[in-house]
């Protein structure tokens, strides 16, 4: 029960949602955060070295 | 039965054709092109793995029913696992889609692979939507009453009634998962037949062993 209380205090879900409204753009903060995380993951996947990548390049 | 007759059988012809197009070493390869050693190539498999978890948890929910997933601790856990595996599924699929879009993954005769991916994405969206309206709680009531106007405006409301809980549940657990699974299987088979799309400036003939040595 303590964990539930802690999480509820951290991310209160029992109220109205928050939205970003800028001109034509209308998106909830929750969806906006997920979109940002996807973009970050995409960029990280392109930039971060893959394990064994250098070894494979040396062997080419 | 003569040899000629055996060769003319549809089973024989189909077997020869399948073995020619997709021999076992191509279906389950032990080497991959060197360019595949990048994180961006991981998201296809991540999508597939989360889809398996979605199916397994969905089967568990179907076995026990709404009173279980709303009223017991384990039911809540499996219900949440079903939801979050769907979230991971879409997250991985969108990153996979972006990666393949910027790679031009339809190149080299891979149009069918690209298109099966696109249709799988659309089928998955519908599957998720029917799942959200099948939760049998206030959230699903809100989503379905909001969605009905949009669907009625398209003229499809008579055939796809989001307020009809039974119909939505059947679409969610039978028709759409069947479509998504068949399309995914077809997509994976096409990836195996045509191979993983190479980068624009890479040598597509280079392959590496799991140990890293290049053949």
């Amino acid at each position: 029960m303590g964990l539930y209380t802690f999480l509820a205090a951290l991310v209160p879900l029992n109220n109205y949602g928050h939205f970003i409204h800028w001109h034509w753009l209308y998106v909830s903060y929750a969806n906006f955060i997920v979109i940002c995380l996807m973009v970050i993951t995409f960029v990280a996947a392109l930039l971060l070295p893959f394990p064994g990548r250098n070894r494979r390049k040396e062997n080419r | 039965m003569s040899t000629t007759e055996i060769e003319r059988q549809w089973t024989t012809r189909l077997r020869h054709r399948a073995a020619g197009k997709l021999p076992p070493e191509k279906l389950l390869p032990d080497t991959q092109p060197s360019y595949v050693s990048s994180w961006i190539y991981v998201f296809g498999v991540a999508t597939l793995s989360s889809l398996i978890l979605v199916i397994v948890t969905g089967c568990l929910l179907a076995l026990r029913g709404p009173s279980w997933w709303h009223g017991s601790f384990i039911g809540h856990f499996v219900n949440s696992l079903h939801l979050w595996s769907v979230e991971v599924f879409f997250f991985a699929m969108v990153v996979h889609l972006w990666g393949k879009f910027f790679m031009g993954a339809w190149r080299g005769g891979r149009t069918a692979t690209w298109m099966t991916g696109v249709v799988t994405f659309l089928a998955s969206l519908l599957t998720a939507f029917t799942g959200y309206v099948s939760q049998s709680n206030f959230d699903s009531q809100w989503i379905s009453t909001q969605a009905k106007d949009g669907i009625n405006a398209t003229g499809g409301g008579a055939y796809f009634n989001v307020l009809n809980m039974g119909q939505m549940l059947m679409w969610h657990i039978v028709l759409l998962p069947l479509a998504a699974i068949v399309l995914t299987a077809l997509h994976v088979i096409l990836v195996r037949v045509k191979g993983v799309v190479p980068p624009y400036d890479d040598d597509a003939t280079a392959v590496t062993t799991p140990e890293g040595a290049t053949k």
Side-chain angles (χ1 to χ4, degrees):
Chain A
M1 200 63 190
L3 180 66
Y4 292 152
T5 314
F6 173 72
L7 287 175
L10 199 67
V11 188
L13 296 173
N14 194 21
N15 52 25
Y16 293 113
H18 298 283
F19 291 83
I20 297 169
H21 193 185
W22 181 74
H23 298 287
W24 51 267
L25 183 72
Y26 192 67
V27 61
S28 70
Y29 272 104
N31 283 341
F32 184 71
I33 289 167
V34 172
I35 293 167
C36 289
L37 285 175
M38 285 194 293
V39 173
I40 291 166
T41 307
F42 178 68
V43 174
L46 293 176
L47 298 179
L48 287 180
F50 193 76
R53 172 79 177 170
N54 291 335
R55 188 181 49 180
R56 288 175 196 209
K57 269 185 180 169
E58 283 165 16
N59 289 331
R60 281 186 74 176
Chain B
M1 193 182 281
S2 70
T3 315
T4 318
E5 278 176 316
I6 290 171
E7 286 300 317
R8 281 177 56 198
Q9 283 185 143
W10 72 267
T11 48
T12 313
R13 284 185 283 129
L14 183 64
R15 188 178 68 247
H16 286 165
R17 198 164 171 199
K21 282 260 184 198
L22 197 61
E25 63 274 14
K26 211 170 171 183
L27 180 65
L28 293 170
D30 43 20
T31 60
Q32 282 293 327
S34 58
Y35 51 79
V36 173
S37 51
S38 162
W39 285 110
I40 199 65
Y41 286 95
V42 168
F43 290 92
V45 170
T47 310
L48 199 58
S49 309
S50 45
L51 177 64
I52 291 168
L53 195 56
V54 171
I55 294 163
V56 170
T57 52
C59 289
L60 288 173
L61 293 175
L63 277 172
R64 302 303 298 268
S67 58
W68 180 71
W69 78 60
H70 281 311
S72 74
F73 181 79
I74 299 291
H76 276 149
F77 177 72
V78 175
N79 195 18
S80 297
L81 209 55
H82 190 62
L83 170 76
W84 286 104
S85 50
V86 169
E87 304 288 336
V88 173
F89 172 73
F90 276 100
F91 191 103
M93 187 158 49
V94 169
V95 177
H96 175 64
L97 168 66
W98 289 344
K100 295 301 161 188
F101 176 77
F102 288 110
M103 281 177 209
W106 48 83
R107 289 176 295 133
R110 293 179 178 82
T111 312
T113 315
W114 173 260
M115 285 315 298
T116 48
V118 170
V119 180
T120 309
F121 183 58
L122 296 176
S124 305
L125 285 179
L126 262 182
T127 315
F129 172 70
T130 50
Y132 285 118
V133 298
S134 302
Q135 293 173 100
S136 61
N137 58 15
F138 287 129
D139 192 29
S140 60
Q141 284 183 27
W142 170 259
I143 296 168
S144 54
T145 48
Q146 295 301 301
K148 73 175 171 45
D149 294 332
I151 290 174
N152 286 347
T154 67
Y159 310 98
F160 189 82
N161 182 2
V162 290
L163 296 177
N164 185 341
M165 166 70 189
Q167 189 193 20
M168 288 303 104
L169 188 64
M170 290 300 114
W171 274 81
H172 180 66
I173 66 172
V174 180
L175 300 175
L176 290 165
L178 194 64
I181 292 166
V182 169
L183 285 164
T184 304
L186 194 59
H187 185 69
V188 172
I189 288 170
L190 283 167
V191 171
R192 289 288 96 239
V193 170
K194 292 286 180 184
V196 181
V197 68
Y200 282 103
D201 58 349
D202 208 294
D203 176 12
T205 56
V207 292
T208 54
T209 62
E211 292 77 34
T214 304
K215 284 184 176 176

